């Protein structure tokens, strides 16, 4: 299959690696030739044979020519996306499908009214997609169901883990779940219950240890003898009580943010942030690898 | 140090293993002698030398005699806790401290007015504590700060990861975070956005892969070039918008629960739940082991 990358910063480069690693020819385009070169170098750093499958396109038309699928990862600004999709719409082959890496904009906001609107959708990864398999597929009202099915199958073949949202919703699924956690995390710190580091420990030394291999429903399903319905009967009223306490949306004010920033800088000073990001990526890579090996041995179920 | 277990179902047995594994003498008491025997057998299954440090107490007084710390894991019913703490209060040595494994009751609800109230607190684990290190320490208003410090130090020495809440709050930290996630998870399914399995994938193949080694604050701190304050400036308004959409606490109604139950049973039939729990514990054990090894190599930071 012929795959294309349009826009290759951090996210686009990671997608290029996903595509080439799975054995596909990848055409790479960015308005900045240096960015396209950097993307190929990023792929080459993983494996030189992957980079051999990558070709830098001379322009957008060259990138799209003959592509079965295009992953668009342009900068996260709506006017940029709108202009880019108008441009792509005029160049698009009859069977080419385009997924956007956007985390924030519904596809309808930059594809409505375009000739090929039925072949555009959001395919939002969690960064970096070459390490984190989850991809959210979010159709616009104009997106054809065949488009969603095509991208779903492709993502599975690439080794990613796609989920299909039935319709556009603010934050999609991933950022809505993250929003729920961050909302409570900031609330706990603002109310003086515990420190940011203690919230982080509650997750990383607690809840996250199960959530990295089974989600919230699978978790509670095993926490009552007869499964999730019994769990809900036993604990539904308790959670409803907590939900009512948590139903006060709060803006993150300057004092709260400054306090959290100060706490975080005690652990990771500003100058150590780049190294900490490299540490995160190494740790993430190793955890994903370990999880895969364990799943192979014990079954993913 | 001399440690005691009072009440040894699944949680108490796991605590016995935590204590014995760390090299301590453990006295085990349960109203049911069979339960106490089963706890010792559970410890022995991990390592016979651990079980050699365990002694079954003949009665509650025997269990408490000379104990530095008692982990109470009696059934999660308030009248049972209240009666038990009255009984322990009359028997307690001058320096013994008692932590309760309760997930649902603040310590004040079963220790207020007792003679030794300053030496009681909640020490809530995530089950099973021999695999999951997080322990929430929640003082009642009457709990002495020296009590919290003692249990914090003890938990660190045992290899657990304690967090100290400043005061009692419904759900403590762990169940409040879980409540936030479950609230949104049920909302997404009820609104027909995606299936329970897709929410689970969003966590287990997505967010959870980072959250198992860095919490929500550490995660966002690395997701803006200059750290968490910049992240909040960039994305605070977006999250506030989502928080307002998520501020509708919902009861989990019978139809919603039945739908989720049916979906979960497609993946794990009712008769397969016990085996699935054993799979979870094996997977959890291996993930925790892998995380520890990776942290040893790369640093926990």
């Amino acid at each position: 299959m012929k795959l294309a990358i349009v826009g290759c910063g951090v996210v686009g480069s990671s997608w290029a690696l996903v595509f080439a690693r799975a054995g596909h020819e990848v055409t790479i385009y960015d308005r900045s030739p240096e960015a396209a070169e950097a993307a190929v170098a990023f792929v080459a750093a993983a494996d030189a044979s992957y980079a051999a499958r990558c070709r830098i396109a001379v322009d957008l038309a060259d990138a799209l020519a003959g592509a079965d699928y295009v992953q668009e990862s342009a900068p996260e600004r709506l006017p940029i996306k709108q202009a880019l999709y108008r441009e792509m719409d005029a160049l698009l082959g009859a069977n080419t499908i385009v997924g956007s890496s956007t985390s924030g904009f519904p596809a309808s906001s930059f594809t409505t009214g375009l000739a090929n609107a039925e072949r555009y959708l959001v395919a939002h990864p969690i960064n970096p997609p070459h390490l984190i398999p989850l991809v959210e597929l979010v159709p616009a009202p104009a997106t054809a169901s065949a488009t969603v099915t095509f991208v779903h199958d492709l993502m599975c073949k690439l080794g990613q883990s796609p989920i299909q949202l039935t319709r556009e919703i603010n934050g999609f699924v991933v950022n809505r779940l993250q929003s729920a956690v961050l909302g409570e995390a900031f609330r706990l710190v603002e109310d003086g219950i515990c420190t940011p580091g203690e919230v982080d420990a509650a997750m990383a030394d607690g809840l996250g240890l199960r959530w990295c291999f089974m989600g919230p429903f699978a978790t509670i399903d095993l926490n009552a003898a007869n499964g999730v319905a019994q769990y809900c009967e036993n604990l539904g009223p308790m959670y409803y009580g907590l939900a009512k306490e948590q139903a006060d949306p709060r803006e993150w004010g300057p004092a709260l943010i400054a306090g959290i920033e100060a706490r975080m800088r005690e652990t990771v000073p500003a100058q150590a942030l780049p190294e900490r990001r490299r540490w995160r990526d190494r740790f993430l890579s190793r955890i994903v690898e370990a999880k895969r090996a364990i799943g192979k041995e014990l079954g993913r179920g």
Side-chain angles (χ1 to χ4, degrees), chain A:
Chain A
M1 203 168 305
K2 202 194 150 198
L3 306 178
I5 300 287
V6 170
C8 47
V10 174
V11 177
S13 300
S14 175
W15 275 119
L17 176 51
V18 169
F19 293 174
R21 183 174 66 185
H24 298 282
E25 301 298 309
V26 188
T27 309
I28 295 178
Y29 174 72
D30 195 284
R31 281 181 204 283
S32 149
E34 293 75 22
E37 299 280 2
V40 176
F42 176 80
V43 174
D47 191 314
S49 72
Y50 301 164
R53 298 189 194 111
C54 296
R55 181 176 72 80
I56 294 178
V58 296
D59 57 20
L60 185 59
D62 181 31
L64 302 188
D68 296 292
Y69 178 71
V70 179
Q71 183 76 35
E72 170 272 307
S73 309
E76 195 73 348
R77 299 226 308 275
L78 191 55
I80 293 179
K81 301 266 189 206
Q82 288 170 331
L84 176 61
Y85 277 79
R86 277 194 302 271
E87 203 180 342
M88 286 199 291
D89 202 52
L91 297 166
L92 211 68
N95 296 304
T96 306
I97 283 174
V98 183
S100 174
S101 297
T102 179
S103 64
F105 302 114
S108 58
S109 68
F110 50 85
T111 65
T112 297
L114 296 182
N116 302 298
E118 65 182 28
R119 284 184 278 132
Y120 303 136
L121 83 172
V122 166
H124 172 231
I126 301 192
N127 196 36
H130 72 278
L131 294 179
I132 302 188
L134 196 276
V135 184
E136 308 185 269
L137 306 182
V138 192
T143 307
S145 68
T147 298
V148 183
T149 302
F150 174 88
V151 183
H152 188 274
D153 291 351
L154 173 63
M155 290 296 161
C156 289
K157 283 178 201 146
L158 292 168
Q160 305 299 110
S161 170
I163 64 174
Q164 275 179 232
L165 281 64
T166 55
R167 61 178 186 271
E168 296 183 329
I169 179 175
N170 289 325
F172 312 145
V173 166
V174 164
N175 277 335
R176 291 184 78 89
L177 291 172
Q178 181 158 246
S179 166
V181 166
L182 289 176
E184 183 57 24
F186 278 76
R187 185 179 290 113
L188 287 164
V189 171
E190 184 166 40
D191 291 350
I193 300 297
C194 64
T195 66
E198 287 175 313
V199 171
D200 279 352
M203 183 63 83
D205 293 334
L207 292 161
L209 295 173
R210 284 192 298 224
W211 282 346
C212 72
F213 69 96
M214 50 197 294
F217 285 110
T219 296
I220 64 174
D221 191 40
L222 298 186
N223 280 346
N226 299 322
V228 66
Q230 188 188 30
Y231 183 93
C232 292
E233 274 162 42
N234 294 345
L235 293 173
M238 186 275 280
Y239 281 114
Y240 183 52
L242 291 179
K244 283 189 282 189
E245 291 184 16
Q246 295 173 316
D248 61 328
R250 300 190 191 175
E251 287 188 271
W252 301 340
L256 176 59
I257 293 173
I260 292 170
E261 170 75 17
R263 282 290 200 159
M264 298 311 286
R265 295 290 72 74
E266 287 171 16
T267 323
V268 182
Q271 69 275 18
L273 282 166
E275 170 52 26
R276 189 67 177 167
R277 276 186 208 100
R278 288 188 289 271
W279 169 86
R280 173 200 59 193
D281 288 344
R282 286 192 298 268
F283 210 114
L284 182 59
S285 166
R286 296 286 300 278
I287 278 283
V288 169
E289 186 188 318
K291 181 187 162 187
R292 190 173 297 126
I294 297 167
K296 209 169 262 180
E297 195 182 324
L298 303 182
R300 288 201 55 178

